[in-house]
Amino acid sequence: MPKNSKVVKRELDDEVIESVKDLLSNEDSADDAFKKSELIVDVQEEKDTDVEEGSEVEDERPAWNNKLQYILAQVGFSVGLGNVWRFPYLCQKNGGGAYLLPYLILLLVIGIPLFFLELAVGQRIRRGSIGVWNYISPKLGGIGFASCVVCFFVALYYNVIIGWSLFYFSQSFQQPLPWDQCPLGKNASHTFVEPECEKSSATTYYWYREALNISSSISASGGLNWKMTVCLLVAWVVVCLAMIKGIQSSGKIMYFSSLFPYVVLLCFLVRALLLNGSVDGVRHMFTPKLEMMLEPKVWREAATQVFFALGLGFGGVIAFSSYNKRDNNCHFDAVLVSFINFFTSVLATLVVFAVLGFKANVVNEKCIAENSEMIIKFLKMGNLSQDIIPHHINFSAVTTEDYHLVYDILQKVKEEEFPALHLNSCQIEDELNKAVQGTGLAFIAFTEAMTHFPASPFWSVMFFLMLVNLGLGSMFGTIEGIITPIVDTFKVRKEILTVICCLLAFCIGLIFVQRSGNYFVTMFDDYSATLPLLIVVILENIAVSFVYGIDKFIEDLKDMLGFAPNRYYYYMWKYISPLMLLSLLIASVVNMGLSPPGYNAWIEDKASEEFLSYPTWGMVVCISLMVLAILPIPIVFIIRRCNLIDDSSGNLASVTYKRGRVLKEPVNLEGDDASLIHGKISSEMSSPNFGKNIYRKQSGSPTLDTAPNGRYGIGYLMADMPDMPESDL
């Protein structure tokens, strides 16, 4: 829109006929003249208008209080539990420090360009995911619905994890911590340690038996776990109360939920680095295994982590950016949030490896003590000769170096008999090489390490409060990805929709708090999001680059930002990113096909996990999750392509804009053949609800003029008027 649009409006005598929503959705946020216009509209069906009788017109779409609140919201959404328990695992598994290089490369190639794309379309169109993609191409409107479905599936099980964290948080106010020691059982004659705990460990037993009270298979429901049911209810109540007023309520909570995890991570890092053995863990992390960079699997897993770390495809990024001013520098936001996410992952990895290094040393010391006792026993029994043991070694206070020296001597001298001794090498590297991720890292490995911390309850409280805040930040963005598109599209009350959504999600989420609920969490995590989100983001990229047109999009960005983005993004969006995403999709499908579908079940008698295949009904559920998430895309495409629903018969009132005032004027939209993008086929027009059809009457000209970028917009129409003095433009 021209900068001196106020002068233009004062001298504008031509009438522009457009729908109320078109006028408001295409209003320039910096344009005071629009905001001072009056609407006189008599609409019975459209109760939720942007007009208040006797008052000035205001754009009622909420906005962020300040830029910091918005950045914290985006950071809170993108930085989640995966940064703490997924990234360190991938770093450990895929070459340590060498993994950071492919991750950083793919962040620049896939992450930042696609994150920038979602921020830009949300900010420009100021709608949720449904409205954005319906605006760009009605046939691809199903992309937004698919995003909402995926968000709902993810929210169902993600809040269960928050519930688990709340349970551990509530149990952390005890000294000693309840998972510090194995519980004792009693019978008529004596007291004994629980066999299941003795075979595993205290923290493992507490997680599977006390917290989850897990069943032995997904088919054995076992009924509801009442402790986790209460925690899930609390989690949904917190989310509902935080989201009920939209960004007005959740935005303020972001100050705490987004910043507190960084305080905890820094405290943990300082504390962990002061512990014995933490340097071993950090050294293990940053020791690069460069040969692993040549493996395709490393790049595939790095690309997947980049993809999910930024929350692409969920709709939360689009929803949050839609509350921005149109001249906000979203390019700066995309780069800033992406690198904050990356450095958060590195910080969390440092903390995790420092703590695991300390834990490895504790385990190693215990291992050396137990094996030293065995050697003393063998010496007393005569199985080993005292002559082969160096004289300076004292087994009552043996050091790590001395034990390794004895171990090597015995291995050489007793070469044939050595396996029968059942001695362990007790290497710290062996403990650090045990890859742990997800719940195993947070609720077993980390909790075990914290039992050895001084003032362990304090650190446990801080850790699980951090997990709760990380989870809530991501949940706010996920729920916003559901609520905002539906509110924008169907004009329902946000408060009512939020309550209904949270209540429905809690009721469905009860399947995750059965005794077999953990297996369903694994199922949803593996099948409800990965492939559907990849397909959604690929179609988003195609919609902007090829359907709408990358050149038009670049022009829109130039108009919105005040400068043209670097040509780098042009090539990324048009060529590199689509090819990379398609390659990632193919690799993910192949990997899913090669990996047998199943889950790790906890077997009580063995006190260990065992891989089990899904039953037939389980496979049906897995396939149904993927199909349901993708289904809206072809359904909407077919409906719009075959014109099964008449989009042109909207019931919105139409108005006339003249000299800053809006007057009621009925318009028949059915015969119009102009649309925002395609402009020829009426079946390709979007619903009037999304503000697609904008018309201008010109004196003596029955035809419509098109803006240079192919869109109809009031700013372009003004600038295009032949009778307007050039000086006024």
Side-chain angles (χ1 to χ4, degrees):
M1 182 172 286
K3 297 292 183 184
N4 56 349
S5 55
K6 295 182 181 179
V7 178
V8 174
K9 291 183 189 64
R10 283 199 299 270
E11 299 188 5
L12 180 64
D13 291 325
D14 291 351
E15 295 178 353
V16 180
I17 302 176
E18 60 183 356
S19 74
V20 176
K21 292 196 172 185
D22 290 340
L23 178 63
L24 294 177
S25 65
N26 288 276
E27 176 184 358
D28 192 318
S29 60
D31 190 350
D32 294 330
F34 275 104
K35 293 183 178 180
K36 293 178 181 177
S37 303
E38 295 181 8
L39 288 177
I40 307 172
V41 187
D42 183 18
V43 187
Q44 309 224 337
E45 299 89 340
E46 192 68 23
K47 296 181 181 179
D48 186 14
T49 65
D50 294 332
V51 185
E52 293 182 7
E53 188 175 350
S55 66
E56 294 181 346
V57 174
E58 296 288 345
D59 185 1
E60 291 187 358
R61 188 171 190 80
W64 298 103
N65 291 338
N66 52 63
K67 183 66 173 282
L68 176 61
Q69 192 180 88
Y70 164 68
I71 293 296
L72 289 178
Q74 291 286 18
V75 169
F77 175 51
S78 66
V79 175
L81 297 173
N83 296 76
V84 175
W85 67 34
R86 176 72 177 165
F87 188 90
Y89 161 75
L90 291 175
C91 190
Q92 177 188 28
K93 177 185 174 185
N94 295 316
Y99 173 74
L100 299 179
L101 183 59
Y103 184 87
L104 193 57
I105 292 172
L106 291 167
L107 181 67
L108 296 173
V109 174
I110 295 180
I112 294 177
L114 295 176
F115 193 60
F116 179 26
L117 184 145
E118 289 201 358
L119 289 178
V121 295
Q123 182 175 306
R124 179 67 177 180
I125 302 171
R126 304 193 76 192
R127 291 291 183 271
S129 56
I130 296 176
V132 160
W133 303 114
N134 198 72
Y135 181 101
I136 287 178
S137 174
K139 291 179 182 177
L140 296 177
I143 297 175
F145 288 99
S147 292
C148 289
V149 174
V150 173
C151 278
F152 188 71
F153 284 160
V154 171
L156 287 177
Y157 73 85
Y158 205 87
N159 224 24
V160 175
I161 301 173
I162 298 176
W164 294 342
S165 302
L166 284 171
F167 173 76
Y168 268 79
F169 172 74
S170 67
Q171 298 298 308
S172 296
F173 296 90
Q174 302 178 44
Q175 178 67 28
L177 291 169
W179 50 84
D180 184 46
Q181 299 291 334
C182 283
L184 299 176
K186 293 183 179 180
N187 58 21
S189 59
H190 66 285
T191 302
F192 60 93
V193 178
E194 285 287 344
E196 186 180 1
C197 183
E198 192 173 22
K199 292 177 184 177
S200 53
S201 69
T203 50
T204 305
Y205 174 83
Y206 190 87
W207 166 242
Y208 284 116
R209 190 55 52 214
E210 297 293 337
L212 299 181
N213 193 19
I214 199 164
S215 63
S216 58
S217 73
I218 195 171
S219 301
S221 167
L224 291 178
N225 180 341
W226 69 268
K227 290 181 288 188
M228 288 305 171
T229 304
V230 172
C231 291
L232 180 63
L233 177 61
V234 172
W236 276 115
V237 169
V238 170
V239 171
C240 184
L241 293 177
M243 297 297 300
I244 198 163
K245 291 293 183 181
I247 62 171
Q248 282 88 352
S249 55
S250 65
K252 295 178 176 62
I253 297 173
M254 288 296 177
Y255 287 113
F256 180 76
S257 65
S258 296
L259 293 175
F260 180 74
Y262 290 96
V263 175
V264 176
L265 284 174
L266 289 173
C267 290
F268 259 99
L269 181 61
V270 173
R271 176 63 222 161
L273 290 176
L274 297 175
L275 294 171
N276 179 40
S278 60
V279 177
D280 295 324
V282 175
R283 188 188 301 115
H284 180 82
M285 169 194 169
F286 282 109
T287 302
K289 301 172 185 175
L290 298 176
E291 67 278 2
M292 296 194 69
M293 290 180 60
L294 301 176
E295 297 183 13
K297 184 181 71 169
V298 174
W299 291 83
R300 178 181 64 81
E301 293 190 343
T304 305
Q305 178 64 15
V306 167
F307 184 85
F308 289 105
L310 294 175
L312 300 174
F314 282 93
V317 173
I318 294 175
F320 279 150
S321 65
S322 71
Y323 298 116
N324 272 331
K325 295 180 180 179
R326 286 210 180 116
D327 59 351
N328 175 61
N329 189 348
C330 55
H331 174 252
F332 172 79
D333 300 341
V335 176
L336 178 64
V337 173
S338 298
F339 277 101
I340 288 176
N341 187 292
F342 173 68
F343 287 119
T344 303
S345 298
V346 174
L347 174 62
T349 304
L350 272 172
V351 173
V352 167
F353 274 89
V355 172
L356 291 182
F358 164 70
K359 174 179 173 284
N361 271 270
V362 172
V363 172
N364 197 59
E365 288 173 3
K366 185 179 178 181
C367 174
I368 290 174
E370 291 176 351
N371 283 269
S372 295
E373 290 179 2
M374 292 175 63
I375 293 175
I376 294 172
K377 183 180 177 182
F378 292 140
L379 289 171
K380 289 180 179 179
M381 295 173 60
N383 293 352
L384 293 176
S385 172
Q386 185 70 46
D387 296 335
I388 64 175
I389 306 297
H391 298 293
H392 70 279
I393 293 178
N394 180 12
F395 282 106
S396 60
V398 65
T399 64
T400 303
E401 293 77 12
D402 288 345
Y403 174 78
H404 290 155
L405 176 61
V406 173
Y407 182 86
D408 292 338
I409 292 172
L410 293 177
Q411 196 171 28
K412 292 176 182 177
V413 174
K414 299 284 186 179
E415 187 174 351
E416 296 181 359
E417 302 173 11
F418 185 78
L421 298 177
H422 301 293
L423 294 176
N424 197 309
S425 62
C426 298
Q427 296 286 345
I428 291 178
E429 291 297 316
D430 294 339
E431 187 67 27
L432 288 172
N433 282 328
K434 293 180 180 177
V436 182
Q437 67 161 323
T439 54
L441 175 64
F443 298 108
I444 298 176
F446 228 81
T447 51
E448 183 177 346
M450 284 187 294
T451 58
H452 301 287
F453 279 26
S456 55
F458 169 77
W459 294 106
S460 182
V461 167
M462 294 284 282
F463 177 72
F464 288 109
L465 186 57
M466 178 190 72
L467 290 188
V468 169
N469 278 275
L470 284 172
L472 286 176
S474 297
M475 274 298 295
F476 293 156
T478 304
I479 297 298
E480 198 68 58
I482 303 171
I483 301 297
T484 297
I486 295 177
V487 169
D488 288 343
T489 305
F490 302 105
K491 291 300 176 186
V492 297
R493 284 182 61 87
K494 178 166 283 188
E495 295 87 350
I496 296 175
L497 178 62
T498 303
V499 172
I500 292 174
C501 180
C502 292
L503 185 61
L504 178 63
F506 169 72
C507 294
I508 298 175
L510 292 177
I511 65 172
F512 301 107
V513 289
Q514 305 173 92
R515 290 184 59 196
S516 60
N518 187 46
Y519 307 136
F520 285 96
V521 171
T522 302
M523 175 190 289
F524 272 66
D525 191 34
D526 290 342
Y527 293 95
S528 69
T530 307
L531 291 182
L533 277 180
L534 271 172
I535 293 171
V536 164
V537 176
I538 289 170
L539 291 176
E540 286 180 358
N541 199 165
I542 292 173
V544 171
S545 299
F546 301 101
V547 178
Y548 183 69
I550 192 66
D551 294 315
K552 295 177 185 177
F553 187 60
I554 294 292
E555 285 298 315
D556 287 349
L557 286 176
K558 186 177 180 180
D559 175 64
M560 183 170 65
L561 301 177
F563 63 89
N566 193 289
R567 197 69 177 171
Y568 166 81
Y569 291 102
Y570 177 91
Y571 295 109
M572 288 296 108
W573 286 329
K574 190 166 186 179
Y575 303 111
I576 307 300
S577 294
L579 289 175
M580 293 289 290
L581 288 172
L582 285 170
S583 302
L584 180 57
L585 177 63
I586 293 170
S588 298
V589 171
V590 171
N591 181 67
M592 188 172 289
L594 295 176
S595 304
Y599 59 100
N600 289 318
W602 179 256
I603 309 301
E604 182 176 355
D605 296 336
K606 299 178 181 178
S608 62
E609 288 186 333
E610 181 178 314
F611 184 83
L612 299 179
S613 298
Y614 285 116
T616 304
W617 63 266
M619 289 301 303
V620 171
V621 173
C622 293
I623 296 171
S624 299
L625 289 173
M626 291 187 288
V627 171
L628 286 173
I630 302 171
L631 200 57
I633 297 173
I635 287 179
V636 172
F637 181 85
I638 293 170
I639 289 175
R640 295 289 171 86
R641 182 70 180 83
C642 301
N643 202 23
L644 300 180
I645 295 179
D646 188 4
D647 285 340
S648 305
S649 58
N651 54 16
L652 295 177
S654 297
V655 295
T656 299
Y657 184 89
K658 183 175 181 180
R659 287 182 178 269
R661 292 185 62 80
V662 184
L663 307 173
K664 181 172 71 174
E665 181 171 337
V667 179
N668 181 14
L669 302 177
E670 292 186 7
D672 191 85
D673 62 351
S675 70
L676 178 68
I677 306 299
H678 304 285
K680 291 183 180 180
I681 304 173
S682 60
S683 64
E684 295 182 355
M685 292 169 58
S686 67
S687 167
N689 291 341
F690 296 98
K692 297 292 194 314
N693 307 314
I694 303 175
Y695 312 99
R696 178 168 65 81
K697 285 184 178 180
Q698 285 198 33
S699 303
S701 175
T703 61
L704 292 170
D705 289 345
T706 311
N709 66 349
R711 298 180 302 157
Y712 294 90
I714 194 163
Y716 289 107
L717 294 173
M718 291 175 184
D720 194 38
M721 291 194 63
D723 56 347
M724 183 63 61
E726 186 174 349
S727 60
D728 288 343
L729 298 178

